[in-house]
């Protein structure tokens, strides 16, 4: 490998590192929207799980599992 090839490799590595270091994540407004969506989904899930019918079904499942013979 000649000196010229080493320089080309070093330049390519520097360019690649520069591309990898770019911020490709969410901006603050996107984080805020993501948090709001997650909270909304959590509230919806909480309401469903704590509803009377679902609660009764979950209790029946737990009772059945605890009374099962092994």
């Amino acid at each position: 490998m000649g000196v010229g090839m080493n320089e080309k490799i070093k330049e390519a590595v520097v360019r690649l590192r520069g591309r990898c270091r770019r911020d490709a994540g969410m901006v603050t407004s996107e984080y805020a929207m993501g948090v709001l969506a997650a909270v909304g989904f959590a509230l919806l899930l909480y309401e469903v799980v704590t509803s009377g019918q679902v609660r009764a079904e979950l209790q029946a499942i737990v009772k059945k599992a605890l009374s099962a013979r092994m």
Side-chain angles (χ1 to χ4, degrees):
M1 219 186 286
V3 176
M5 186 60 89
N6 282 338
E7 291 300 319
K8 288 182 182 182
I9 292 173
K10 287 179 185 178
E11 289 173 8
V13 169
V14 168
R15 282 194 308 266
L16 183 61
R17 283 183 183 165
R19 288 181 184 164
C20 291
R21 290 183 180 167
R22 289 184 184 159
D23 185 16
M26 296 189 295
V27 294
T28 304
S29 61
E30 291 171 329
Y31 279 117
M33 294 304 294
V35 168
L36 287 174
V39 169
F41 182 72
L43 286 172
L44 178 66
L45 185 61
Y46 176 77
E47 289 296 321
V48 169
V49 171
T50 58
S51 68
Q53 186 176 0
V54 174
R55 178 180 279 171
E57 291 294 327
L58 289 174
Q59 286 176 347
I61 292 170
V62 169
K63 285 180 184 178
K64 186 176 179 181
L66 292 176
S67 65
R69 293 190 176 191
M70 297 202 184

